[in-house]
Amino acid sequence: MSSTLETQLLIIGGGPGGYIAGIRAGQLGVKTIVVEGVNPGGTCLNIGCIPSKALIHAAEEFAKATAYAAGTSPLGISVQAPALDLARTVAWKAGIVKKLTGGVAALLKKNGAQLVKGWATIVDGKTVDVAGAAEDGGTLRIRCEHLLIASGSVPVELPFLPFGGKVISSTEALSPTALPKRLIVVGGGYIGLELGTVYRKLGCEVTVVEAQDRILPAYDAELTKPVATHLEKSSVKLLTGHSVLGLADNGQLRVRDTNGTEIALDADQILVAVGRRPKTDGFNLESLQLDLAGKAIKIDDQCRTSMRNVWAIGDVAGEPMLAHRAMAQGELVAEIVSGRKRHFVPAAIPAVCFTDPEIVVVGLSPDEAKAQGIETKVALFPFAANGRAMSLESTDGFVRVVARSSDHRILGWQAVGVQVSELSIAFVQSIEMGATLEDIAGTIHPHPTLGEAVQEAALRALGHALHI
Ligand code: FAD
Ligand code: NAD
């Protein structure tokens, strides 16, 4: 043992959960150490949210240029056939990641939290070892009053289709050195569809193999239909209701439909995106014998685990595995450790799928409200009747509101359409503030914006929409 540090709060993992906890704890004067084994920013900044959205933007721009080159744009724009310098695209994406991850390290420092680089191994609920992190290169032992586990998640690996060679995870898909001619995406969920769309827009032939009978099965069919239609229009092949069996000796991917019919698909690369699992192995976490909820660490509404002063947040604490949920939990734990009274009881956690078009889900869907026995008013306003959507050449999709019949309190919003990710803020604020249909209907929404569809959905639920 080379050296020992003492701290109040020790955080394992510098992703959105861990780094936000570190910043907030530092602001509140709690002596804090964040241990990160790879790079500050975690999955989200390095190999998740940010690089994927950068590539989605790059692919969108390339697709636009390709469409202009076809000479069919109703806008009257035409250009020469575009070319893609993939290395430059990937370097641009890496530049954004570098800027943001460097910013995280700087913010931790500015707020007085110490960042230790290295892999943490748990000794007990108050002690962690970090090999190679001592000044002399030996093991650094850190003792703490509070241990916060924010170790995140890793991609699920299919035992019959392990990662390696042409079988890749989202991490490799976000840093391509060359584009495959034919890409098969296994899993028609968030990652499969966001990244599958990127590869298609960059010119690859893309096939999505999804085990359920439709893509994005977690969302209702009305909401996902515009995405499925757009994928099909752009020649993405959707093999729903198909399970993967494995690779044949000739390198083809064997899949089977629900009737048992087997087919083999040619693929230069196979992106497996069938979910992520909490990262609970590889750092002696099991020695703490914490209660689990499935594969995740079980927590209460203060992010406490079953062991006193051991906390867990973010992906390691289960669904929904979203960066903003991890951040909110990180802030909360820091405040509780500093002596404040907090509980994690958000009225809703928004979810956004950055497909083309985008999908937003906040609060209860009509079916979820029904399943809870709530009588509702549900109304939908189509972007086909919205001037801003027309001017953006994208009239697919709609905004839908779900409100309680008895008092018109808004319980949920769903939207699908171009740039609807930016409407998610209005949705979640209205639910968090307990807004009614009348509150939204009576708010002046600027013209011309996609947001007018939000007001019109509320007006329609009240029976007097103006533009339909
Ligand atoms: P992570 O971000 O996974 O961070 C955990 C960190 O802990 C890692 O850096 C890891 O190296 C470190 N660590 C683990 N064990 C140890 C140890 N023993 N010692 C030291 N360090 C350790 N979410 C969204 O909300 N919006 C999106 O658009 C979005 N897009 C995504 C796209 C992709 C391709 C992927 C893969 C994920 C995406 N997500 C998105 C999910 C989001 O990335 C996660 O929900 C979020 O990163 C979880 O934060 P976290 O802090 O819990 O864990
Ligand atoms: P996912 O849960 O979104 O989708 C996985 C899909 O794979 C599901 O549709 C499932 O039915 C299908 N599937 C499972 N096993 C299969 C098999 N053997 N063959 C074919 N299909 C199979 O998971 P993901 O896309 O890997 O993403 C992981 C998590 O990362 C998400 O759940 C989300 O929490 C997070 N994420 C969020 C965003 C965002 O917020 N925009 C983007 C990417 C990832």
Side-chain angles (χ1 to χ4, degrees), residues 187 189-191 194 209-212 217 273-276 321-322 352 354:
Y190 278 88
I191 294 176
E194 287 186 1
V209 179
E210 164 58 50
Q212 303 287 316
V274 294
R276 294 179 62 85
M321 292 193 187
L322 297 172
V352 180
F354 292 81

Side-chain angles (χ1 to χ4, degrees), residues 120-338:
T121 302
I122 290 175
V123 178
D124 59 39
K126 292 199 178 309
T127 319
V128 155
D129 280 348
V130 189
E135 269 180 25
D136 63 1
T139 296
L140 176 67
R141 173 155 288 194
I142 309 172
R143 290 187 212 282
C144 61
E145 291 166 29
H146 296 269
L147 177 63
L148 171 56
I149 300 158
S151 51
S153 62
V154 291
V156 168
E157 188 170 51
L158 293 173
F160 42 86
L161 197 62
F163 294 123
K166 68 179 178 182
V167 182
I168 60 169
S169 73
S170 54
T171 304
E172 294 76 35
L174 288 168
S175 292
T177 48
L179 291 173
K181 186 170 177 295
R182 293 157 305 189
L183 175 74
I184 295 182
V185 176
V186 181
Y190 278 88
I191 294 176
L193 296 186
E194 287 186 1
L195 295 185
T197 302
V198 165
Y199 276 71
R200 178 66 201 124
K201 287 185 176 176
L202 294 179
C204 308
E205 289 167 26
V206 175
T207 302
V208 177
V209 179
E210 164 58 50
Q212 303 287 316
D213 60 2
R214 57 191 179 80
I215 56 160
L216 292 167
Y219 296 152
D220 65 73
E222 193 177 27
L223 203 55
T224 55
K225 197 162 180 288
V227 177
T229 305
H230 190 274
L231 287 168
E232 276 161 358
K233 262 193 201 160
S234 58
S235 303
V236 171
K237 201 165 164 194
L238 298 180
L239 290 180
T240 52
H242 280 75
S243 309
V244 175
L245 301 172
L247 280 179
D249 290 341
N250 63 2
Q252 287 184 312
L253 183 69
R254 292 170 50 228
V255 299
R256 190 165 52 199
D257 70 11
T258 42
N259 300 320
T261 310
E262 203 180 307
I263 52 171
L265 305 167
D266 289 321
D268 302 304
Q269 218 158 40
I270 301 166
L271 165 61
V272 176
V274 294
R276 294 179 62 85
R277 65 169 175 84
K279 168 98 185 101
T280 51
D281 52 351
F283 59 108
N284 200 30
L285 177 70
E286 58 282 3
S287 67
L288 299 185
Q289 296 190 321
L290 301 177
D291 286 354
L292 298 180
K295 291 187 161 65
I297 299 177
K298 190 174 175 188
I299 54 169
D300 67 8
D301 69 356
Q302 291 189 305
C303 301
R304 294 178 193 273
T305 69
S306 54
M307 183 180 270
R308 203 175 128 81
N309 290 345
V310 177
W311 314 72
I313 55 171
D315 287 8
V316 74
E319 298 285 350
M321 292 193 187
L322 297 172
H324 40 280
R325 179 247 197 180
M327 291 193 234
Q329 290 180 324
E331 191 190 19
L332 172 127
V333 170
E335 296 201 351
I336 297 175
V337 167
S338 81

Side-chain angles (χ1 to χ4, degrees), residues 22-81:
I23 290 172
R24 187 67 185 125
Q27 287 173 347
L28 292 164
V30 177
K31 193 173 177 200
T32 301
I33 294 177
V34 179
V35 185
E36 170 53 56
V38 183
N39 208 20
T43 303
C44 177
L45 265 52
N46 290 283
I47 50 169
C49 326
I50 296 295
S52 61
K53 271 72 231 178
L55 288 191
I56 286 169
H57 173 67
E60 176 64 32
E61 294 300 299
F62 187 70
K64 262 189 216 163
T66 308
Y68 293 152
T72 52
S73 167
L75 309 186
I77 301 172
S78 63
V79 297
Q80 297 295 311

Side-chain angles (χ1 to χ4, degrees), residues 422-440:
E422 297 301 331
L423 299 182
S424 58
I425 297 101
F427 295 158
V428 71
Q429 282 176 350
S430 72
I431 293 179
E432 199 63 59
M433 295 171 85
T436 60
L437 291 171
E438 286 80 357
D439 291 326
I440 304 303

